[in-house]
């Protein structure tokens, strides 16, 4: 069994709310400097920079999962996590079929850059990414699971785009929930007792290099979705915990 210190909610310069310094080499270096050896790239409604981060991480010891932070029709943010590019790109095609055509307002929303592994500019994403996709929570879970992925509602205790604020309850269709860096498991569970029924993860929701939290520790055979799912269940000796010094 191997120990993975993880940050499963990381944005790149493709997310308009992320800093311009969030290019692949800086992401990789910042994670490694914090002792993190497993990340997931989770830009808003997009997967186009995952391959670049994977390229930057090659031979560094940092494992990179493919992901997306989906904004559903209920205005809830979901982390959609996959093992690799093929699954993520298949999910992107499903999202694109239900995605609007509103153009991004760069001045007020922010730039959306697609880059290569060195961070060099390739092109801009013209569509506004921070917007609802016409997919329900249930459709998202079904679609991601069908591709072998895992859905975790993001920052559930937050008022903005959090599952509990938007719906008032956590559905049993979810296998785990994420809390933000702005609370602790104890505080979140006291505020929302229903959280005690779910495995909890904590992330930095990284938009800037200094926001890498690395609060999660996993004991896994390999950095895969199947292994993480076992850790959520505490199955076959796999384990996960939120490191107390980060809460």
């Amino acid at each position: 069994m191997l120990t993975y210190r993880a940050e499963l909610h990381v944005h790149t310069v493709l997310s308009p709310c992320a800093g311009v310094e969030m290019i692949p080499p800086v992401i990789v270096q910042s994670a490694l400097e914090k002792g993190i050896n497993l990340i997931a790239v989770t830009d808003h409604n997009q997967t186009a920079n995952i391959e670049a981060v994977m390229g930057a991480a090659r031979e560094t010891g940092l494992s990179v999962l493919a992901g997306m932070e989906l904004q559903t029709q209920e205005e809830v943010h979901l982390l959609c996590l996959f093992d690799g590019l093929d699954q993520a790109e298949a999910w992107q095609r499903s999202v694109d079929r239900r995605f609007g055509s509103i153009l991004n307002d760069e001045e007020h929303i922010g730039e959306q850059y697609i880059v290569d592994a060195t961070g060099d500019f390739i092109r801009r994403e013209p569509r506004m990414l921070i917007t609802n996709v016409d997919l329900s929570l249930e459709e998202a879970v079904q679609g991601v699971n069908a591709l072998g992925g895992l859905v975790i509602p993001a920052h559930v205790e937050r008022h903005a785009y959090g599952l509990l604020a938007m719906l008032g309850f956590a559905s049993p269709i979810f296998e785990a929930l994420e809390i933000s860096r702005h609370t602790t498991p104890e505080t979140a569970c006291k505020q929302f007792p229903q959280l005690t029924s779910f495995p909890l993860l904590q992330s930095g929701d990284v938009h800037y290099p200094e926001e890498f939290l690395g609060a999660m520790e996993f004991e896994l055979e390999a950095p895969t979705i199947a292994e993480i799912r076992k850790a959520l269940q505490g199955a076959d000796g796999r384990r996960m915990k939120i490191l107390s010094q980060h809460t």
Side-chain angles (χ1 to χ4, degrees), residues 14-17 99 101-113 124-130:
L14 184 50
S15 292
C17 46
F99 202 93
S101 56
I102 300 173
L103 294 179
N104 187 39
D105 181 348
E106 296 172 354
E107 182 178 353
H108 295 97
I109 304 298
E111 296 277 11
Q112 301 173 158
Y113 296 122
R124 288 178 173 83
E125 165 58 54
R127 299 171 300 175
M128 183 184 294
L129 294 180
I130 300 184

Coordinates of all heavy atoms in Angstrom, one line a residue, residues 14-17 99 101-113 124-130:
L14 N -7.4 27.9 -17.5 CA -8.7 27.7 -18.3 C -9.9 28.2 -17.5 O -10.9 28.6 -18.1 CB -8.8 26.3 -18.8 CG -9.9 25.9 -19.6 CD1 -10.1 26.8 -20.9 CD2 -9.8 24.4 -20.1
S15 N -9.8 28.1 -16.2 CA -10.9 28.6 -15.4 C -10.7 30.1 -15.2 O -9.7 30.6 -14.8 CB -10.9 28.0 -14.0 OG -11.2 26.6 -14.1
P16 N -11.8 30.9 -15.6 CA -11.6 32.4 -15.6 C -11.4 33.0 -14.2 O -10.9 34.1 -14.1 CB -12.9 32.9 -16.1 CG -13.9 31.8 -15.9 CD -13.1 30.5 -16.0
C17 N -11.7 32.2 -13.1 CA -11.5 32.7 -11.8 C -10.1 32.3 -11.2 O -9.8 32.7 -10.1 CB -12.6 32.1 -10.9 SG -12.8 30.3 -11.1
F99 N -24.4 22.1 -23.3 CA -23.8 23.4 -22.9 C -24.3 24.5 -23.8 O -24.6 24.4 -24.9 CB -22.2 23.3 -23.2 CG -21.4 24.2 -22.4 CD1 -20.9 23.8 -21.2 CD2 -21.2 25.5 -22.8 CE1 -20.1 24.7 -20.4 CE2 -20.4 26.4 -22.1 CZ -19.9 26.0 -20.9
S101 N -24.3 28.5 -25.4 CA -23.4 29.2 -26.4 C -23.1 30.6 -26.0 O -22.8 31.4 -26.9 CB -24.0 29.1 -27.8 OG -25.3 29.7 -27.8
I102 N -23.3 31.0 -24.7 CA -23.0 32.3 -24.3 C -21.5 32.6 -24.4 O -20.7 31.8 -23.9 CB -23.5 32.6 -22.9 CG1 -25.0 32.3 -22.8 CG2 -23.1 34.0 -22.4 CD1 -25.5 32.4 -21.4
L103 N -21.1 33.7 -25.0 CA -19.7 34.0 -25.1 C -19.1 34.6 -23.8 O -19.9 35.3 -23.1 CB -19.4 35.0 -26.3 CG -19.7 34.4 -27.7 CD1 -19.5 35.5 -28.7 CD2 -18.9 33.2 -28.0
N104 N -17.9 34.3 -23.6 CA -17.3 34.8 -22.3 C -17.1 36.3 -22.4 O -16.7 36.9 -23.4 CB -15.9 34.1 -22.1 CG -15.3 34.5 -20.8 OD1 -16.0 34.6 -19.8 ND2 -14.0 34.6 -20.8
D105 N -17.3 36.9 -21.3 CA -17.1 38.4 -21.1 C -15.7 38.5 -20.4 O -15.7 38.5 -19.1 CB -18.2 39.0 -20.3 CG -18.0 40.5 -20.1 OD1 -16.9 41.0 -20.3 OD2 -19.0 41.1 -19.6
E106 N -14.6 38.6 -21.1 CA -13.3 38.5 -20.6 C -13.1 39.6 -19.6 O -12.4 39.4 -18.6 CB -12.3 38.5 -21.7 CG -12.4 37.3 -22.6 CD -11.4 37.5 -23.8 OE1 -10.9 38.5 -24.0 OE2 -11.3 36.5 -24.6
E107 N -13.6 40.8 -19.8 CA -13.3 41.9 -19.0 C -13.9 41.8 -17.6 O -13.3 42.1 -16.6 CB -13.9 43.2 -19.6 CG -13.6 44.5 -18.8 CD -14.2 45.7 -19.4 OE1 -14.6 45.7 -20.6 OE2 -14.1 46.8 -18.8
H108 N -15.1 41.2 -17.5 CA -15.8 41.0 -16.2 C -15.7 39.6 -15.6 O -15.8 39.5 -14.4 CB -17.3 41.4 -16.4 CG -17.5 42.8 -16.7 ND1 -17.7 43.2 -18.0 CD2 -17.5 43.9 -16.0 CE1 -17.9 44.6 -18.1 NE2 -17.7 45.0 -16.8
I109 N -15.5 38.6 -16.4 CA -15.5 37.2 -15.9 C -14.1 36.8 -15.8 O -13.7 36.1 -14.8 CB -16.3 36.3 -16.9 CG1 -17.7 36.8 -17.1 CG2 -16.2 34.9 -16.3 CD1 -18.5 36.8 -15.8
G110 N -13.2 37.1 -16.7 CA -11.8 36.6 -16.7 C -11.5 35.9 -18.0 O -12.3 35.4 -18.7
E111 N -10.2 35.8 -18.2 CA -9.7 35.1 -19.4 C -9.7 33.6 -19.2 O -9.7 33.1 -18.1 CB -8.2 35.5 -19.7 CG -8.0 36.9 -20.0 CD -8.3 37.2 -21.5 OE1 -8.8 36.3 -22.2 OE2 -7.9 38.3 -21.9
Q112 N -9.8 32.8 -20.3 CA -9.9 31.4 -20.3 C -8.9 30.8 -21.3 O -9.2 30.7 -22.5 CB -11.4 30.9 -20.6 CG -12.4 31.5 -19.7 CD -13.8 31.2 -20.1 OE1 -14.8 31.2 -19.3 NE2 -14.1 30.9 -21.4
Y113 N -7.7 30.5 -20.8 CA -6.6 30.1 -21.7 C -6.4 28.6 -21.7 O -6.4 27.9 -20.7 CB -5.3 30.7 -21.1 CG -5.3 32.2 -21.1 CD1 -5.0 32.9 -19.9 CD2 -5.5 32.9 -22.3 CE1 -5.0 34.3 -19.9 CE2 -5.4 34.3 -22.3 CZ -5.2 35.0 -21.1 OH -5.1 36.4 -21.1
R124 N -7.8 30.8 -26.7 CA -8.8 31.1 -25.7 C -10.0 30.2 -25.9 O -10.3 29.8 -27.0 CB -9.2 32.5 -25.8 CG -8.1 33.5 -25.3 CD -8.7 35.0 -25.5 NE -7.7 35.9 -24.9 CZ -6.7 36.4 -25.5 NH1 -6.4 36.0 -26.8 NH2 -5.9 37.3 -24.9
E125 N -10.6 29.8 -24.8 CA -12.0 29.2 -24.9 C -13.0 30.3 -25.0 O -13.1 31.1 -24.1 CB -12.2 28.3 -23.6 CG -13.6 27.9 -23.4 CD -14.2 27.1 -24.6 OE1 -13.6 26.1 -25.0 OE2 -15.3 27.5 -25.1
P126 N -13.8 30.3 -26.1 CA -14.7 31.5 -26.3 C -16.0 31.4 -25.5 O -16.5 32.5 -25.2 CB -15.0 31.4 -27.8 CG -14.8 30.0 -28.1 CD -13.7 29.5 -27.3
R127 N -16.4 30.2 -25.1 CA -17.7 30.1 -24.4 C -17.5 30.5 -22.9 O -16.4 30.3 -22.3 CB -18.2 28.7 -24.5 CG -18.5 28.2 -25.8 CD -18.9 26.7 -25.8 NE -17.7 25.9 -25.3 CZ -17.8 24.6 -25.1 NH1 -18.9 24.0 -25.3 NH2 -16.7 24.0 -24.7
M128 N -18.5 31.1 -22.3 CA -18.5 31.3 -20.9 C -18.5 30.0 -20.1 O -19.5 29.3 -20.2 CB -19.6 32.3 -20.5 CG -19.6 32.7 -19.0 SD -21.0 33.7 -18.5 CE -20.7 35.1 -19.5
L129 N -17.5 29.7 -19.4 CA -17.4 28.4 -18.7 C -18.2 28.4 -17.4 O -18.7 27.3 -16.9 CB -16.0 28.0 -18.5 CG -15.2 27.7 -19.8 CD1 -13.8 27.3 -19.5 CD2 -15.9 26.7 -20.6
I130 N -18.2 29.5 -16.7 CA -18.9 29.5 -15.4 C -20.4 29.8 -15.6 O -20.8 30.9 -15.6 CB -18.3 30.6 -14.4 CG1 -16.8 30.2 -14.1 CG2 -19.0 30.6 -13.1 CD1 -16.1 31.1 -13.1

